Amino acid sequence: MQVQVVDYTAKEAAEKFVKSLHETGFGVLINHPIKQGLVESIYQSWQAFFLSEEKHAFAFDPERQDGYFSTEISETAKGHSQKDIKEYYHVYPWGRIPAQLEAEILEYYRLTSELAAELLDWVEAHSPADVACKYSQALSLMIKDTPNTLLRILHYPPLTGSEEAGAVRAAAHEDINLLTILPAANEPGLQVQDQDGQWMDVPSDFGNLIINIGDMLQEASAGYFPSTSHRVINPTGKGSDKSRISLPLFLHPRSEVVLSENHTQASYLLERLRELGVKA
């Protein structure tokens, strides 16, 4: 099992990329259309935001799930008892965004959403016929005009040594959505679990774009595309005093989209948010 690094501009890119998603739940793109300068600028401006007191004016709304989530109310991964060591901000185009950060982050949201639709077309084109027939509609149509796609700006603060025993930056988990689009973070730490239960570093050179399957696509494909466990481990040595910024885009269908005989997007999401302890 090996996560493949695929040149987005190569003739065989779609086939190789989807093969990696099927075999590992992950794929990595290089020479993709998301400009590194935009990503670096977002890292810098949101790092400053997380270090400011302004973030508290945007405390999250339990109903809308937008805004700022502090380390005190951070997620507890399914099956774990300690909260992750992170704070984060949920961006939706219809949600609250600090004025000085809005234009740039919404441009990133637009560009990555457009790329994600193309990648879903790749997935569908290279799904076996007996898998593709299970999709209730074209995968890229599932996200057309969706209000549900979530951009999360994550800040993993430097470690102080006073963290709860066993707590990590992001405990092993699977994502809820269809696909997750993630530019490599400004610090390493992302790992994926292989079929033998071993943890492997995801190729995370700065500039790489990391894509992984979420539970909703696993559900829609009847397991052909696996939602693979992954985690962000705590740094050691000098790396422990550095922040880590990450920008995952969680691609969600519209609420009414049928994923399987058991779930729509809305029913599946509600079930998982309750498991995470962020919704009653």
Side-chain angles (χ1 to χ4, degrees):
M1 173 178 166
Q2 187 73 37
V3 177
Q4 295 299 309
V5 178
V6 177
D7 186 336
Y8 170 83
T9 64
K11 183 178 179 180
E12 68 281 7
E15 183 178 1
K16 287 186 174 180
F17 173 74
V18 176
K19 185 174 186 287
S20 184
L21 291 181
H22 167 56
E23 293 179 347
T24 71
F26 273 75
V28 175
L29 293 177
I30 59 173
N31 296 325
H32 54 80
I34 306 302
K35 301 300 183 184
Q36 191 59 26
L38 175 61
V39 174
E40 290 176 347
S41 179
I42 290 171
Y43 284 166
Q44 293 171 5
S45 58
W46 282 85
Q47 172 85 26
F49 174 78
F50 283 117
L51 295 178
S52 75
E53 292 301 310
E54 182 187 7
K55 62 189 180 185
H56 298 294
F58 292 88
F60 91 107
D61 184 315
E63 291 303 315
R64 293 156 51 99
Q65 292 286 309
D66 69 326
Y68 169 68
F69 294 69
S70 70
T71 53
E72 288 76 20
I73 59 171
S74 180
E75 291 174 322
T76 302
K78 183 179 178 180
H80 297 265
S81 57
Q82 296 96 351
K83 288 187 178 297
D84 290 346
I85 308 170
K86 65 189 182 188
E87 58 183 346
Y88 50 93
Y89 197 102
H90 278 184
V91 167
Y92 296 96
W94 46 261
R96 296 165 298 151
I97 306 171
Q100 74 277 16
L101 302 174
E102 183 174 9
E104 186 176 59
I105 203 66
L106 288 182
E107 174 68 359
Y108 175 82
Y109 185 105
R110 182 185 66 81
L111 292 171
T112 49
S113 294
E114 289 176 358
L115 176 60
E118 179 183 12
L119 298 181
L120 284 175
D121 285 337
W122 287 10
V123 168
E124 184 161 3
H126 293 279
S127 295
D130 63 335
V131 173
C133 71
K134 299 179 187 300
Y135 305 144
S136 64
Q137 58 186 275
L139 294 179
S140 59
L141 285 181
M142 290 183 180
I143 63 166
K144 182 176 174 55
D145 300 324
T146 180
N148 299 324
T149 288
L150 163 65
L151 176 58
R152 174 182 285 179
I153 302 100
L154 279 157
H155 176 233
Y156 302 96
L159 301 182
T160 64
S162 61
E163 291 78 20
E164 184 179 0
V168 294
R169 283 183 159 176
H173 65 283
E174 300 82 43
D175 291 346
I176 302 172
N177 44 287
L178 286 175
L179 286 181
T180 300
I181 313 291
L182 175 70
N186 62 339
E187 293 292 329
L190 180 62
Q191 295 185 326
V192 59
Q193 191 173 38
D194 68 18
Q195 294 170 345
D196 298 322
Q198 301 300 308
W199 289 98
M200 304 183 303
D201 292 333
V202 174
S204 298
D205 294 342
F206 209 43
N208 286 2
L209 196 66
I210 302 159
I211 296 92
N212 65 272
I213 300 295
D215 291 347
M216 290 184 183
L217 186 51
Q218 177 176 267
E219 181 80 11
S221 67
Y224 181 81
F225 290 106
S227 180
T228 309
S229 290
H230 51 286
R231 66 185 184 182
V232 179
I233 60 173
N234 292 344
T236 58
K238 292 184 178 179
S240 63
D241 62 1
K242 295 181 179 178
S243 292
R244 185 178 189 273
I245 297 286
S246 182
L247 286 176
L249 180 82
F250 299 111
L251 202 67
H252 278 271
R254 297 180 308 281
S255 300
E256 74 277 7
V257 167
V258 174
L259 300 174
S260 68
E261 293 181 354
N262 299 318
H263 283 292
T264 62
Q265 187 275 352
S267 70
Y268 200 99
L269 179 63
L270 181 60
E271 179 181 288
R272 289 299 307 277
L273 290 178
R274 285 172 172 167
E275 291 171 349
L276 290 170
V278 295
K279 197 170 183 67

